[in-house]
Amino acid sequence: MTQYHPLSEGEAIQFAKSIPDLFAADAQLASREIGDGNLNLVFHITEPATGKSIILKQALPYAKVVGESWPLTLDRARIESEALQYEGALCPDLVPRVYQYVPELALTVMEDLSDHVIMRRGLIERNKYPKFAGDIGRFLSHTLFYSSDLGMNQQDKKERVKQFINPDLCKITEDLIFDDPYRDAETNSFDETIRDEAEALWNDTELKLEVARLRHGFLTNAQALLHGDLHTGSIFITEQSTKVIDPEFAYYGPMGFDIGAVIANLLLNFAGQEGWSPDAASRAEYREYLLTTVKDTWTTFEWEFRSLWNDRSVDRISNTPGFQDIYVEQLLRDTIGYAGCKMVRRIVGLAHVADIDKIEDAAAKERAQRLALAIGKTLIKHHRSSVSIDEVLDIAVKAAAQ
Ligand code: SR1
Ligand code: MG
């Protein structure tokens, strides 16, 4: 079973039995392929007699969401397993444990987190997660600080940049987030009811100029090792626990791209409450919770990042008084701009989110789409003049009141 091929469920069971010290050779195992993402196979392997379970995640050599016409490197499985190990060394409680990586099969064996739910699903069900902002703020501050020139030796960092060169997955982001939504691209996908919004994007030169700036940052600013796709579908959650999964888009890029991804996905759910809240009062109440989470995510990140900088910086000249403020101010601007880009792409681009797409009532869905676009576009246009996270909250509240 050593030559690469996509595993069948039977082969996944055989493979699981061959992992030393996990299951007995005569164990009765069951396998279910549960991959609902855009790119990979995910086998949930269980042993009903003991309750033991694991996940086998296997990369396919193409983008599952499109088909074999869109080839993708299997090296992303290595990148994912190495990124998980990097993150796990810094925040062991916030990522799944990796038991084994099998390069020949582009396969990672990892902890089963099925006692958690995918956060996107949890937010659609209007659950609240009191530990989330603190957990994700810590994840972001630690992974970003320690992989940057502030937190590690600069020559070692260059080696790490090399380790995480990820051209195929970066190209997906470059196209699907920073290019296609702003032109009449074949990959775009949107409801005809909002064609006016899509056409407005294609003709908005002021907006496209800001997107060009942000795209340039994504292409050139090797600031820190990013997760690279930190939406709420990449987070498993309970009230007590947060686990960040799926860092196959990891590469060295601008820190604000990861922080912005978290904020964008909270705001997409904010827009989706047009369809998920039963009445105006509960909509306002849940939206308040989401906005508090946006604010707490940023403030936890900022506080922990500044603490790490003050206590653990390895870069002498960066400690010159004033530079930390300049750096963090730019991080906030980047965060807001990237959050806006990540909202817009989920409404008119190839890959959407269930927070909006699964709304059954057509009028509510259209309102949610228009609201998400209004927030996203304002964030993009406003990002370079932002000085406080409160401005994001104001933009969302004002757009929702229109
Ligand atoms: C072709 S992959 C589409 C999207 O799915 C992933 O989760 C990324 O967000 C990517 O842009
Ligand atoms: Mg993913």
Side-chain angles (χ1 to χ4, degrees), residues 38-39 63 65-66 70 172 176 229 231 249 345-346 350-351:
N38 294 322
L39 303 176
V65 66
V66 176
W70 189 334
I172 291 178
L176 297 189
D229 195 25
H231 54 79
F249 283 73
R345 62 81 58 115
R346 294 295 187 187
L350 173 79

Side-chain angles (χ1 to χ4, degrees), residues 166-327:
N166 197 355
D168 282 19
L169 284 278
C170 284
K171 169 111 176 93
I172 291 178
T173 302
E174 290 152 20
D175 291 349
L176 297 189
I177 299 185
F178 295 115
D179 191 4
D180 296 351
Y182 304 96
R183 66 191 181 93
D184 188 4
E186 261 185 37
T187 52
N188 285 339
S189 160
F190 53 83
D191 291 346
E192 275 307 308
T193 48
I194 59 157
R195 172 164 286 276
D196 61 313
E197 295 272 12
E199 289 180 354
L201 290 175
W202 306 339
N203 294 315
D204 190 338
T205 309
E206 183 198 345
L207 183 75
K208 291 202 283 189
L209 184 56
E210 297 306 324
V211 174
R213 286 176 188 275
L214 290 157
R215 183 176 195 272
H216 182 68
F218 184 86
L219 289 166
T220 60
N221 185 4
Q223 194 173 22
L225 179 61
L226 307 188
H227 175 284
D229 195 25
L230 194 42
H231 54 79
T232 45
S234 296
I235 297 169
F236 267 118
I237 200 153
T238 69
E239 282 188 15
Q240 311 302 331
S241 165
T242 306
K243 303 277 186 186
V244 176
I245 62 166
D246 274 4
E248 68 198 306
F249 283 73
Y251 90 112
Y252 260 82
M255 296 180 183
F257 188 77
D258 268 4
I259 314 165
V262 174
I263 290 174
N265 281 271
L266 292 166
L267 293 176
L268 284 162
N269 188 271
F270 175 100
Q273 291 307 317
E274 290 298 321
W276 301 113
S277 293
D279 54 57
S282 49
R283 180 178 308 123
E285 194 262 337
Y286 198 70
R287 281 184 169 163
E288 182 68 34
Y289 158 71
L290 292 167
L291 295 184
T292 303
T293 307
V294 167
K295 180 163 175 154
D296 291 350
T297 295
W298 171 262
T299 50
T300 306
F301 165 77
E302 180 181 353
W303 194 87
E304 295 216 11
F305 187 81
R306 285 182 183 273
S307 303
L308 289 170
W309 189 322
N310 295 336
D311 299 341
R312 306 270 176 216
S313 166
V314 298
D315 191 46
R316 200 167 28 235
I317 192 110
S318 298
N319 293 326
T320 306
F323 184 61
Q324 189 184 110
D325 287 342
I326 292 169
Y327 194 106

Side-chain angles (χ1 to χ4, degrees), residues 121-142:
R121 167 70 29 214
L123 294 181
I124 288 171
E125 290 169 2
R126 305 176 74 257
N127 297 317
K128 295 182 181 169
Y129 299 103
K131 287 188 76 236
F132 173 70
D135 285 346
I136 204 72
R138 175 160 57 90
F139 176 86
L140 288 164
S141 56
H142 281 68

